[in-house]
């Protein structure tokens, strides 16, 4: 995915790949990545969680790698710095891109880690209760 400095990506969950797992590699400018610290695999649940929990904010810099269960955790990009590192500026010369995100979707993982198995094992309720009891970021 290519990003211009003005680009954002709205709240979403990922179900491409097997059960939403993805590995994200950031190149170029630093991007602000946010995720909600509670399972919310549907738009309705995401709205509830957005009102209950503040997002966790992470700056993804050039070369950072993120492994995420994107099918459970809603996430978004809320902009990136205008100036990419010098080596990336040379690669992207002549384009408006300041950042590239390479995504690898995982296939063939252990079925016990599937979205369905996690929810059956109470991941959503257990995680929500723990966050409520301990507060966000615990």
């Amino acid at each position: 995915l290519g990003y211009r400095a003005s680009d954002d990506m709205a709240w979403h969950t990922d179900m491409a790949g097997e059960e939403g797992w993805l590995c994200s590699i950031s190149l170029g400018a630093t991007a602000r990545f946010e995720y909600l610290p509670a399972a919310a695999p549907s738009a309705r649940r995401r709205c509830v969680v957005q009102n209950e929990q503040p997002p966790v904010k992470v700056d993804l810099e050039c070369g950072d790698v993120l492994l995420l269960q994107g099918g459970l955790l809603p996430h978004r990009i809320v902009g990136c710095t205008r100036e990419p590192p010098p080596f990336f500026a040379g690669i992207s010369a002549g384009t408006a891109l300041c950042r590239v995100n390479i995504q690898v979707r995982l296939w063939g993982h252990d079925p016990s880690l599937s979205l369905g198995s996690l929810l059956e094992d109470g991941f959503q309720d257990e995680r929500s209760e723990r966050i409520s009891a301990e507060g966000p970021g615990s």
Side-chain angles (χ1 to χ4, degrees):
L1 301 172
Y3 288 85
R4 298 168 296 191
S6 59
D7 289 343
D8 292 327
M9 184 170 287
W11 285 111
H12 66 283
T13 53
D14 294 300
M15 289 311 294
E18 191 163 313
E19 300 291 343
W21 283 101
L22 66 104
C23 177
S24 169
I25 303 163
S26 294
L27 298 174
T30 300
R32 171 60 57 95
F33 176 81
E34 295 182 353
Y35 70 93
L36 296 174
S42 69
R44 180 177 296 199
R45 176 75 179 133
R46 187 165 53 241
C47 288
V48 170
V49 172
Q50 283 175 305
N51 289 324
E52 295 175 349
Q53 302 287 331
V56 175
K57 299 174 183 181
V58 179
D59 286 334
L60 296 177
E61 299 179 354
C62 187
D64 284 351
V65 176
L66 174 72
L67 181 63
L68 177 73
Q69 209 318 339
L72 282 178
L73 299 176
H75 52 281
R76 68 180 178 176
I77 294 288
V78 287
C80 51
T81 58
R82 296 199 173 278
E83 295 299 321
F87 89 90
F88 187 84
I91 294 170
S92 64
T95 73
L97 298 180
C98 66
R99 176 177 186 265
V100 171
N101 177 251
I102 300 169
Q103 296 183 357
V104 178
R105 307 295 176 149
L106 303 179
W107 297 90
H109 71 276
D110 183 332
S112 69
L113 299 177
S114 70
L115 174 61
S117 293
L118 289 172
L119 293 176
E120 284 175 15
D121 291 342
F123 177 84
Q124 185 172 6
D125 295 335
E126 179 182 304
R127 178 74 174 139
S128 297
E129 288 173 15
R130 187 176 71 77
I131 290 172
S132 297
E134 298 174 13
S138 299

